[in-house]
Structures are given as C-alpha cells and as structure tokens.
Amino acid sequence: MQYFEGSAITHIAVHKVGNQSEDEYLTLSKKELAVDPEVKELMTRYFLNPFKSEEYFQFYNETHISANEAWNYVSAIFENPEQTLAQSKNLAQHLYNQGTHPSIKGGEFYIVYFKEGLLNGETVDAIGLFKSENKEPFLKVLPIEDAFEVESEEGININKLDKGCMIFNTDKENGYIISIVDTKNKSPEARYWTDSFLRIQQRQDQYFNTESTMALYKSYVVDHLPEQYNVTRADQADLLNRSLNFFKEKQHFDQETFNNEVLHHKEYVESFDRYKQHYSAERDIEIADNFSISPAAVKRQNRAYKSIIKLDKNFHIYIHGDRNMIEHGEDDKGRFYKLYFHNEE
C-alpha cells in the first residue's frame, strides 16, 4: 500500500511535449516550476489521488536494465535530486521521441520529486511522471463595476489525470517499484506511455501471482475442462465458487492444498497441471506454486468470477453456494435445472 499524501514535494519541472508527427514542438522550461502552497496542494491532489491500485510494475530491457533510458534518467535524479530539472529535459525529449502516432495528444509533462512517503510500511522517496493531455472548459465570473461578466477558458480538471506513474526509490537493480495510471491504455496508440516511453512490465509479486493463478484457473474451468470431461455449467459454477472462497479465506496459496480442497478429483488435478504448463508457456510467464495471497487482487478478480448459467434468452441462474441444491436433467420438453431452497425473499 502506498501513502504519499503526507510527503513533501521538493522539485517540480514542467515541459510542453507535442506530437512530432503533427509538427508540434517540444518546449523545455529553463527553470523549475514555482508555485504557492495553495496551488501546490491542489497539484498534489491532482497527481496522487488516482493511484489506488496495488498492481506494481518495473522498468525492464531485453538485454540489461541499464539500457532502459527512463531508468537511467530516473536513477540520476534519485542519486541527486538537484538534477531534477536537467534530467527532466532528457525525459521530456525521450517522451517526445516516442510520440509519433497521429492519435497521440500533446500536453504538459510534469516531473515531480516527492520526499519521504510510505510504500508497504517503508519510508521512501519517489519520482512522479505525469502528462496532462485533455483540457476542459470552465467559466470565470468577474465583477465589473456594479455588475458581473462571465468568461470562458480552458484548463486541466484536477480530478482527471490522463497519464502518470510513481517510481519508488527501492529495488533499483530490478527496475524499481512503479505504480501506473493511464486512462487511455486500451488503445494501441496510447501504449507508447508504458511500452515505448517507460518500457515497464508487471512485477512478479503476490499481486501478480494471485491474479495470474485466478485467471489461469478460471480459463481452465470455463474453456478447457468442458472439452475433456462431461462437466455441466452447474459443475463449472461450483468449481469457480469453491476456488473464489479458497482465495478469500486463505492467506497463503499452496498448489497441493488447492488441489485437495478445490479440484478434488485426481484426473482434474493432472489435467490442470498439464493445462498450467501450456498456459504459462503460451504467455511466457511463470506462475508460482506457493505465495502469499493478495486481497486486492482477489477483489479485482472477484468481478470476473461470476457464476451465471444463461438459459436461452429466458432465464439467468446465479449460483453462489451449495452445488447440491441444483440438479440438471432432460425430459420430453427439453433440458432443465431443478432448484431447491429453504426461504423465498
């Protein structure tokens, strides 16, 4: 968990980074940004409020971490925070070089040094990189003699950060610990922020292990298991529910314990093990057999673990508990489910 609201901002540099493919310019500031305490408080809220996820990333490079440009510039700032302005120009130039897709918007690029925040209970400094791309209209009401007039202007909505990352000064050799905000990350042209500019990948921590294992198991139950065995949708829902309860109730994941408590059947265990190897190789990821469970990752995956049986376009059955309270069959009218219950609400 990260907490930087009580930290002090000691350096702020801002540059204007346009889209070079649209013949827009890179405008570099010669001085750090000087702001009064009230404006700094608003900017702090603008920068920090969006960072709520416990999913973390790290700088990487296929050859060596030192070949990652952003890592080098950030490392120089951490070594000497007085170099914030000088290194911020290098970061702005690097960002400008990546902005070649015509759909990428230009905007203000902020480089901010935060002193003494908290990350998982550890006191660390951090560097924030933020880009504001979208302006919104607002009204200003001005007194004019014995009346008022209204003017329209455009500015930044401090409740909507477009792109940002917080880089925490820990685990430098492995690419630091990084938290990300990117409101446009679903569009291919917007991936330049994470893939080209920062060049980051998800850290293989407890959040990654929990999320990856739950996604793997859901894929196995929903996509693979019915191809191998005569498994009804009710059986699938039961397996998903038991798996979700396992992750909610346990603090630690152990593959053998999971096999015994959730999969039960030997053939399912062997089938799952084969599928896990194929799944990991296909995605080029390593999924651990033992790890501490991340409640935040469970909460996120909970949305995808909906046990719903959709029957034609007439009915939806939501299964939350005891598998023995639902039966599946077929008669001369067609296939059916029989439901048992104690109380009707």
Side-chain angles (χ1 to χ4, degrees), residues 115-221:
K115 189 74 174 175
E116 295 184 348
L118 289 176
L119 176 67
N120 298 325
E122 177 187 1
T123 301
V124 293
D125 291 356
I127 296 170
L129 307 179
F130 313 98
K131 188 177 178 215
S132 59
E133 299 175 333
N134 296 294
K135 304 294 189 295
E136 295 186 5
F138 65 92
L139 300 176
K140 290 182 67 175
V141 180
L142 305 172
I144 303 295
E145 297 181 353
D146 58 348
F148 295 90
E149 69 175 19
V150 178
E151 295 181 354
S152 174
E153 295 187 18
E154 285 194 337
I156 299 169
N157 185 337
I158 64 170
N159 296 312
K160 294 182 180 179
L161 178 64
D162 294 315
K163 286 179 170 58
C165 75
M166 290 288 289
I167 305 156
F168 303 98
N169 190 14
T170 183
D171 203 14
K172 172 183 176 180
E173 295 75 14
N174 292 312
Y176 296 108
I177 296 178
I178 302 173
S179 185
I180 289 292
V181 169
D182 186 352
T183 59
K184 303 294 183 182
N185 61 7
K186 292 184 180 179
S187 57
E189 65 272 13
R191 297 288 293 178
Y192 85 102
W193 175 256
T194 55
D195 294 355
S196 301
F197 169 56
L198 295 171
R199 288 191 64 77
I200 56 175
Q201 62 185 6
Q202 190 174 355
R203 290 177 61 87
Q204 293 194 10
D205 52 17
Q206 65 180 34
Y207 187 102
F208 172 87
N209 288 326
T210 304
E211 184 179 51
S212 298
T213 301
M214 293 186 73
L216 156 69
Y217 184 72
K218 185 194 173 190
S219 176
Y220 170 73
V221 171

Side-chain angles (χ1 to χ4, degrees), residues 31-283:
K31 297 179 180 180
E32 287 193 16
L33 186 66
V35 293
D36 61 46
E38 184 177 349
V39 174
K40 183 177 285 188
E41 183 178 344
L42 288 173
M43 293 183 73
T44 301
R45 191 173 85 189
Y46 171 58
F47 293 143
L48 296 180
N49 278 4
F51 291 92
K52 303 182 185 302
S53 174
E54 294 183 33
E55 180 181 20
Y56 294 113
F57 298 81
Q58 62 192 28
F59 291 119
Y60 83 99
N61 186 274
E62 291 82 356
T63 54
H64 191 271
I65 189 64
S66 61
N68 183 301
E69 284 193 58
W71 179 89
N72 277 288
Y73 303 140
V74 165
S75 296
I77 297 175
F78 278 134
E79 290 171 10
N80 182 8
E82 298 303 319
Q83 284 290 308
T84 297
L85 179 62
Q87 297 300 332
S88 74
K89 295 178 182 180
N90 292 330
L91 285 162
Q93 181 68 61
H94 178 45
L95 179 61
Y96 182 70
N97 292 342
Q98 311 309 316
T100 57
H101 194 285
S103 295
I104 294 174
K105 294 182 179 180
E108 291 78 25
F109 177 48
Y110 301 86
I111 299 85
V112 184
Y113 196 92
F114 295 89
K115 189 74 174 175
E116 295 184 348
L118 289 176
L119 176 67
N120 298 325
E122 177 187 1
T123 301
V124 293
D125 291 356
I127 296 170
L129 307 179
F130 313 98
K131 188 177 178 215
S132 59
E133 299 175 333
N134 296 294
K135 304 294 189 295
E136 295 186 5
F138 65 92
L139 300 176
K140 290 182 67 175
V141 180
L142 305 172
I144 303 295
E145 297 181 353
D146 58 348
F148 295 90
E149 69 175 19
V150 178
E151 295 181 354
S152 174
E153 295 187 18
E154 285 194 337
I156 299 169
N157 185 337
I158 64 170
N159 296 312
K160 294 182 180 179
L161 178 64
D162 294 315
K163 286 179 170 58
C165 75
M166 290 288 289
I167 305 156
F168 303 98
N169 190 14
T170 183
D171 203 14
K172 172 183 176 180
E173 295 75 14
N174 292 312
Y176 296 108
I177 296 178
I178 302 173
S179 185
I180 289 292
V181 169
D182 186 352
T183 59
K184 303 294 183 182
N185 61 7
K186 292 184 180 179
S187 57
E189 65 272 13
R191 297 288 293 178
Y192 85 102
W193 175 256
T194 55
D195 294 355
S196 301
F197 169 56
L198 295 171
R199 288 191 64 77
I200 56 175
Q201 62 185 6
Q202 190 174 355
R203 290 177 61 87
Q204 293 194 10
D205 52 17
Q206 65 180 34
Y207 187 102
F208 172 87
N209 288 326
T210 304
E211 184 179 51
S212 298
T213 301
M214 293 186 73
L216 156 69
Y217 184 72
K218 185 194 173 190
S219 176
Y220 170 73
V221 171
V222 174
D223 301 324
H224 185 72
L225 196 59
E227 296 179 358
Q228 282 199 312
Y229 303 98
N230 184 23
V231 178
T232 67
R233 293 297 300 274
D235 291 329
Q236 288 178 275
D238 179 55
L239 285 167
L240 291 178
N241 281 331
R242 282 196 275 125
S243 173
L244 184 59
N245 290 335
F246 181 94
F247 280 95
K248 285 181 175 180
E249 294 168 3
K250 305 284 188 182
Q251 294 183 330
H252 188 86
F253 178 87
D254 174 74
Q255 187 66 64
E256 185 175 351
T257 304
F258 181 84
N259 290 346
N260 293 333
E261 295 187 14
V262 178
L263 291 172
H264 289 316
H265 304 292
K266 180 180 178 181
E267 60 269 28
Y268 286 4
V269 172
E270 294 174 349
S271 170
F272 178 71
D273 185 57
R274 292 191 298 269
Y275 184 75
K276 180 179 179 179
Q277 294 179 33
H278 171 76
Y279 184 97
S280 301
E282 188 176 55
R283 289 160 179 77

